[in-house]
Amino acid sequence: MKIKIYDQHPRAHSLKIRELLIEGNRANIVATAGLIAFGRGEAFDYLLGERTIEPAKCAIKTAAALILTAQQPVISVNGNVAALVPQAIAELTKITKTKVEVNIFYRSTQREKIIKEFLLKAGIKEVLGTEKDYQVKIDEIMSERRIVDARGILIADVVLVPLEDGDRTEALIKMGKKVIAIDLNPLSRTAQKATVTIVDNIIRAMPLLLQQIRQLTNYKQAQIQKIINNYDNRRILRSAIAHINQRLSRLAKDGF
Ligand code: PTJ
């Protein structure tokens, strides 16, 4: 059953995102656990104030710089990411050389194919990760996510991993790759281990990332490198946690 969401509803935006995921779950794009994962994300978004905070903007700029300077950038797409931002992923492939790879935790050949078809329909020309001939196992990862594409994540130097589930970021870093995470939870293991962590809702972060990439295209190589060199992910995470802390302290003191 599809529900009608009235624009006047105070939580209309959030309800629409939920509907995208529920629809995606019915179509077997989103794993059932993906609905739970979004609930966790939403709770953190509440604490952040449901807007893109300054530390996230700084991380987005650095992520754009990393993607632009990468030789082989790849975005790893799971069910939630496919359902929430298919058009933005398509746009990313148009304005950069980023490859798209389906890599899911709750793995099934059928689900992989459904996600791939969905992404192709959204205008992405090539979707890696589903062809057996190119699938290789990487020892560093202890889940079904260890199966990666020989043309994609295996040889990537920069991997964008939105809504990640844990051990993989650490493994990819050990393999010498730079990892960009998008995760509303600044305390998650993924957030802590990534090279660059964007603490923001993927719905807001992806359009900003595309905007930032377009802007940096006009920058000189040395300027882009400076953005990367000056970036400190631990500082950014501390600032994100401090933002939540200060916001809650203010609300506790002054009320709503
Ligand atoms: O499609 P699959 O099979 O690969 O499964 C995907 C899920 C998301 C179910 C799987 O990766 C998983 O279980 O993830 P976790 O461990 O629940 O982690 C997801 C992280 O993403 C959590 O830290 C959430 O806070 C965060 N998150 C959820 N929704 C959003 C988000 N971050 C940014 N934007 C969101 N919309």
Side-chain angles (χ1 to χ4, degrees), residues 19 50 72 133 186:
E19 274 307 297
E50 293 179 299
Q72 312 256 26
D133 289 351

Side-chain angles (χ1 to χ4, degrees), residues 17 21 29-42 44-45 77-81 84 103-107 111 115 145 162-166 182-186 188 190 198-203:
I17 301 175
L21 291 168
I29 293 167
V30 176
T32 305
L35 304 177
I36 300 170
F38 182 67
R40 180 151 49 148
E42 260 189 329
F44 276 97
D45 213 6
V77 178
N78 64 20
N80 286 47
V81 175
L84 291 177
N103 186 284
I104 53 181
F105 185 76
Y106 297 96
R107 197 155 180 272
R111 229 184 117 221
I115 295 173
R145 289 194 136 161
L163 281 70
E164 193 45 52
D165 60 71
I182 304 178
D183 193 333
L184 279 161
N185 176 5
S188 78
T190 299
I198 301 168
V199 181
D200 198 12
N201 197 320
I202 191 170
I203 294 271

Side-chain angles (χ1 to χ4, degrees), residues 169 185-194 197 233-234 237 241:
T169 299
N185 176 5
L187 306 170
S188 78
R189 206 145 55 91
T190 299
Q192 301 286 331
K193 296 290 173 190
T197 307
N233 205 43
R234 292 168 73 85
L237 286 173
I241 295 166

Side-chain angles (χ1 to χ4, degrees), residues 86-87 90-91 93-94 118-126:
Q87 302 302 336
E91 190 59 21
T93 62
K94 284 180 193 141
F118 183 73
L119 293 173
L120 290 172
K121 267 200 202 132
I124 297 158
K125 296 241 156 37
E126 189 186 27

Side-chain angles (χ1 to χ4, degrees), residues 13-206:
H13 186 60
S14 168
L15 289 175
K16 282 179 188 164
I17 301 175
R18 282 191 189 179
E19 274 307 297
L20 278 180
L21 291 168
I22 293 168
E23 283 297 307
N25 180 241
R26 285 195 189 115
N28 208 7
I29 293 167
V30 176
T32 305
L35 304 177
I36 300 170
F38 182 67
R40 180 151 49 148
E42 260 189 329
F44 276 97
D45 213 6
Y46 246 86
L47 301 179
L48 288 165
E50 293 179 299
R51 64 179 183 81
T52 304
I53 59 174
E54 285 309 314
K57 287 183 189 163
C58 181
I60 287 170
K61 191 169 182 179
T62 310
L66 276 180
I67 291 169
L68 281 173
T69 50
Q71 296 299 318
Q72 312 256 26
V74 172
I75 177 166
S76 176
V77 178
N78 64 20
N80 286 47
V81 175
L84 291 177
V85 289
Q87 302 302 336
I89 303 169
E91 190 59 21
L92 182 67
T93 62
K94 284 180 193 141
I95 63 171
T96 67
K97 49 187 177 186
T98 306
K99 289 181 182 166
V100 176
E101 179 165 336
V102 174
N103 186 284
I104 53 181
F105 185 76
Y106 297 96
R107 197 155 180 272
S108 85
T109 310
Q110 195 208 13
R111 229 184 117 221
E112 275 177 351
K113 285 209 177 103
I114 291 173
I115 295 173
K116 178 176 179 170
E117 286 305 316
F118 183 73
L119 293 173
L120 290 172
K121 267 200 202 132
I124 297 158
K125 296 241 156 37
E126 189 186 27
V127 179
L128 307 177
T130 63
E131 288 162 62
K132 297 266 175 284
D133 289 351
Y134 293 100
Q135 287 177 343
V136 286
K137 277 190 183 162
I138 43 181
D139 295 336
E140 287 85 348
I141 298 174
M142 295 302 146
S143 71
E144 286 298 315
R145 289 194 136 161
R146 64 166 50 161
I147 299 168
V148 297
D149 197 300
R151 302 160 297 174
I153 290 175
L154 186 74
I155 55 165
D157 51 351
V158 171
V159 190
L160 176 54
V161 291
L163 281 70
E164 193 45 52
D165 60 71
D167 68 339
R168 196 162 68 123
T169 299
E170 206 170 351
L172 293 173
I173 297 268
K174 267 194 199 141
M175 291 170 73
K177 301 177 193 303
K178 295 202 168 74
V179 176
I180 303 163
I182 304 178
D183 193 333
L184 279 161
N185 176 5
L187 306 170
S188 78
R189 206 145 55 91
T190 299
Q192 301 286 331
K193 296 290 173 190
T195 317
V196 172
T197 307
I198 301 168
V199 181
D200 198 12
N201 197 320
I202 191 170
I203 294 271
R204 294 189 298 266
M206 283 302 283

